[in-house]
Amino acid sequence: MTNMSGRLWPKAVFTSYKWGLRSQREHTALLKIEGVCAQDGTEFYLGKGCAYVCKAKNSTVTPGGKPNKTRVTCAQGNSHVVHAKFQSNLPAKALRHRICVMLYPSRI
């Protein structure tokens, strides 16, 4: 029997910002969601909530720090990556760090 972790959200990694030929757009983050290996899999996550929790300078009400929340907006081509626009832009030190992808709201 395998050990169940009890985690109810899939992990995602902040891979980069949206970019064009000559410019980088910091208001849109590109997220690679764990377990998504086909473009059809990204459709399930459209509209789902995301949160990046960073450490706060002062003590906060939420444990762990201040959450920066967003929603998954669209898929990125055929690369199995999704776009997310956060409340405030993610810092560059958040690259290759974990983002929580919540499984709500449900579209079923």
Side-chain angles (χ1 to χ4, degrees), residues 53-67:
V53 180
C54 60
K55 300 231 181 219
K57 266 187 174 178
N58 303 327
S59 61
T60 60
V61 178
T62 57
K66 290 193 256 184

Side-chain angles (χ1 to χ4, degrees), residues 17 82 84:
Y17 297 108
V82 294

Side-chain angles (χ1 to χ4, degrees), residues 12-15 31 52 91-100:
V13 177
F14 172 41
T15 55
L31 305 178
Y52 170 69
K93 68 178 184 179
L95 282 167
R96 297 185 308 273
H97 281 90
R98 295 282 180 204
I99 308 285
C100 303

Side-chain angles (χ1 to χ4, degrees), residues 62-81:
T62 57
K66 290 193 256 184
N68 189 353
K69 296 182 181 178
T70 187
R71 296 209 181 272
V72 175
T73 57
C74 64
Q76 165 75 23
N78 293 324
S79 60
H80 324 305
V81 174

Side-chain angles (χ1 to χ4, degrees), residues 1-2 6 24 29 44-45 49 65 68-69 71 73 83 98-99 101-102:
M1 182 169 186
T2 60
Q24 174 175 290
F44 172 77
Y45 292 101
N68 189 353
K69 296 182 181 178
R71 296 209 181 272
T73 57
H83 288 199
R98 295 282 180 204
I99 308 285
V101 179
M102 310 304 172

